[in-house]
């Protein structure tokens, strides 16, 4: 069991040790080393919890280059290709366990070169009973899900494990759990909190797009049409070249923008989502955002933005916030979707809130205030 000295540590397991997990592993070690001097930390202190209070106690993956290794070793194992911004990971010794394949690995991923894609471990996969037992043995408090986009069955499997083990969940991908009424009720009945769904990156295409659209609405501009086209070179973009796997991703990103518009655009006037895979970009994501509209008197206007960003640290920054908020919710005995902690951090939360308001909602939640009606 957790000792009193470790009581402030947030015992966290990672499901899917890919690029986002690599950035999270690096980020936790980086914050532990740098403390208040760490660059780019959102919400440095949340009810006494700092980023360095996150303790990564296990990982679950299916790749032969990661299973059985430590988190520190796996962070830079192929096919991970994100920026190595902090390499002193000898302290990240938690083991990675072999999870089930389910729909986490699509057929087309296995047909690509090994250094760009997945290679399945020959180790036997842990069963649901074994994973639940492992979570309890580890005294895990928070599970963060970073599985490939389109992993519906795999996400549901791990969510069920978390429910049985009483572990709070942070769902970082566009499989709708926190925002799905049936799953929301399961979490309420189990007395377990969940945050989600699908991270809105620290300074990514979605938050920039929402901000520009919101500004146009606020200034009385009539928005006629818009697009957001994204390209990248990591396994996430390769995975999403199979159209069936990115349907929920496109829905999540589109709804995040539609939610800030006074009048929804017709489906033919809005197009948002991953557009192509460019291997040499590695973990860089390049987003092209265009918005067309009319000013006073119908005078035409348009704006185009090109955003170039390292994709995975952009998500890990918000993961470090979400893990701490999940622990706060768990400590308070909260259950079900934690709306107050989800709207600012996720593209597809249970309820959309305008971003500046959602920021204030988080601060009020941390202080123990009631959610706004």
């Amino acid at each position: 069991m957790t000792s009193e000295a470790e009581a402030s540590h947030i015992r966290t397991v990672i499901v899917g040790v890919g690029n986002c997990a690599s950035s999270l592993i690096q980020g936790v070690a980086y914050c532990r080393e740098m403390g208040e001097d760490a660059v780019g930390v959102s919400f440095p202190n949340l009810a006494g919890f700092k980023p360095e209070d996150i303790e990564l106690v296990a990982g679950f993956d299916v790749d032969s280059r990661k299973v059985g290794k430590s988190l520190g070793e796996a962070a830079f194992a192929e096919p991970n290709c994100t920026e190595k911004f902090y390499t002193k990971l000898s302290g990240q010794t938690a083991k990675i366990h072999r999870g089930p394949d389910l729909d986490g690995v699509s057929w087309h991923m296995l047909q690509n070169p090994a250094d760009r894609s997945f290679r399945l471990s020959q180790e036997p996969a842990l069963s649901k009973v074994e994973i639940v037992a492992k979570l309890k043995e580890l005294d895990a408090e928070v599970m963060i899900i970073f599985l490939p986009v389109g992993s519906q069955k795999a996400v549901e499997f791990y969510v069920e494990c978390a429910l049985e083990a009483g572990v709070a969940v942070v769902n970082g991908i566009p499989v709708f759990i926190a925002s799905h009424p049936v799953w929301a009720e399961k979490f309420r009945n189990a007395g377990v909190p969940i945050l989600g769904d699908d991270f809105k990156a620290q300074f990514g295409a979605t938050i920039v797009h929402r901000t520009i659209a919101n500004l146009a609405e606020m200034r009385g501009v009539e928005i006629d049409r818009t697009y957001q086209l994204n390209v990248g070179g990591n396994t996430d973009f390769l995975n999403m070249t199979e159209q069936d796997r990115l349907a929920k991703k496109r829905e999540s990103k589109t709804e995040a923008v539609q939610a800030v518009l006074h009048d929804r655009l017709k489906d033919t006037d809005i197009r948002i989502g991953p557009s192509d895979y460019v291997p040499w970009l590695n973990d860089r994501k390049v987003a092209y955002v265009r918005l067309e509209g009319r000013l006073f008197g119908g005078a035409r206007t348009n704006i185009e933005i090109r955003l170039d960003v390292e994709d995975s640290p952009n998500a890990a920054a918000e993961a470090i916030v979400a893990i701490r908020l999940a622990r706060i919710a768990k400590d308070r005995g909260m259950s079900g979707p934690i709306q107050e902690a989800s709207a600012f951090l996720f593209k597809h939360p249970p309820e959309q809130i305008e971003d500046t308001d959602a920021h204030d909602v988080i601060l009020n939640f941390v202080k123990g205030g009631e959610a706004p009606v």
Side-chain angles (χ1 to χ4, degrees), residues 188-358:
R188 291 190 193 98
N189 292 338
V192 176
I194 178 169
L195 281 65
D197 298 303
D198 192 17
F199 276 122
K200 192 190 300 173
Q202 183 177 23
F203 196 71
T206 296
I207 190 65
V208 169
H209 200 162
R210 279 170 61 99
T211 300
I212 296 299
N214 188 55
L215 176 63
E217 290 270 331
M218 184 169 59
R219 305 296 292 184
V221 177
E222 190 77 19
I223 299 172
D224 293 324
R225 58 193 67 87
T226 188
Y227 66 60
Q228 179 198 128
L229 310 177
N230 305 319
V231 297
N234 58 25
T235 50
D236 193 34
F237 276 89
L238 177 58
N239 174 58
M240 289 187 291
T241 57
E242 184 178 302
Q243 291 296 306
D244 288 345
R245 293 188 73 86
L246 68 81
K248 289 289 179 66
K249 183 71 171 180
R250 194 176 296 283
E251 178 182 347
S252 177
K253 290 175 72 67
T254 301
E255 285 303 310
V257 175
Q258 288 275 34
V260 302
L261 304 179
H262 183 268
D263 297 311
R264 290 179 64 91
L265 294 175
K266 295 187 297 183
D267 291 346
T268 53
D269 289 331
I270 184 169
R271 181 67 170 177
I272 298 177
S275 302
D276 209 347
Y277 169 65
V278 182
W280 60 264
L281 285 175
N282 288 321
D283 196 43
R284 285 171 57 200
K285 179 168 76 175
V286 182
Y288 301 90
V289 179
R290 180 179 176 88
L291 185 149
E292 297 182 358
R294 286 166 288 155
L295 305 171
F296 181 60
R300 293 182 298 117
T301 186
N302 68 74
I303 183 171
E304 290 193 7
I305 298 172
R306 180 185 184 275
L307 176 68
D308 186 332
V309 66
E310 194 75 8
D311 202 20
S312 298
N314 218 7
E318 305 307 90
I320 285 174
V321 178
I323 290 168
R324 289 179 286 155
L325 292 173
R327 167 66 185 269
I328 292 168
K330 187 174 175 63
D331 285 352
R332 292 178 183 172
M334 301 177 73
S335 62
I338 309 302
Q339 166 58 23
E340 307 94 316
S342 294
F344 184 73
L345 298 175
F346 297 91
K347 297 183 184 79
H348 201 274
E351 179 185 349
Q352 293 280 1
I353 301 176
E354 192 274 325
D355 293 297
T356 53
D357 291 339

Side-chain angles (χ1 to χ4, degrees), residues 77-248:
E78 291 180 343
N80 292 359
C81 60
T82 190
E83 180 178 337
K84 298 178 181 179
F85 63 87
Y86 192 80
T87 59
K88 301 176 184 177
L89 302 182
S90 59
Q92 297 296 329
T93 59
K95 182 181 177 181
I96 297 176
H97 305 277
R98 180 43 158 114
D101 298 345
L102 298 172
D103 57 355
V105 180
S106 66
W107 180 87
H108 86 285
M109 292 295 288
L110 300 176
Q111 312 312 307
N112 280 273
D115 64 335
R116 310 301 304 183
S117 186
F118 307 137
R119 290 297 179 266
L120 295 178
S121 169
Q122 297 304 305
E123 293 292 320
L126 296 181
S127 67
K128 181 179 178 181
V129 170
E130 290 171 319
I131 291 177
V132 170
K134 179 60 65 176
L135 294 174
K136 291 180 178 180
E137 175 191 328
L138 292 166
D139 288 330
E141 296 168 304
V142 178
M143 171 188 288
I144 183 163
I145 297 175
F146 278 138
L147 289 167
V149 169
S151 304
Q152 182 79 37
K153 293 178 181 178
V155 170
E156 291 179 352
F157 171 86
Y158 280 105
V159 163
E160 289 174 354
C161 292
L163 285 170
E164 289 194 23
V167 176
V169 173
V170 173
N171 180 31
I173 77 165
V175 169
F176 302 149
I177 303 295
S179 56
H180 193 291
V182 173
W183 281 107
E185 190 62 23
K186 288 183 179 182
F187 273 85
R188 291 190 193 98
N189 292 338
V192 176
I194 178 169
L195 281 65
D197 298 303
D198 192 17
F199 276 122
K200 192 190 300 173
Q202 183 177 23
F203 196 71
T206 296
I207 190 65
V208 169
H209 200 162
R210 279 170 61 99
T211 300
I212 296 299
N214 188 55
L215 176 63
E217 290 270 331
M218 184 169 59
R219 305 296 292 184
V221 177
E222 190 77 19
I223 299 172
D224 293 324
R225 58 193 67 87
T226 188
Y227 66 60
Q228 179 198 128
L229 310 177
N230 305 319
V231 297
N234 58 25
T235 50
D236 193 34
F237 276 89
L238 177 58
N239 174 58
M240 289 187 291
T241 57
E242 184 178 302
Q243 291 296 306
D244 288 345
R245 293 188 73 86
L246 68 81
K248 289 289 179 66

Side-chain angles (χ1 to χ4, degrees), residues 34-46:
M34 301 299 293
E36 294 181 358
D37 293 327
V39 175
V41 175
S42 301
F43 302 99
N45 191 315
L46 291 170

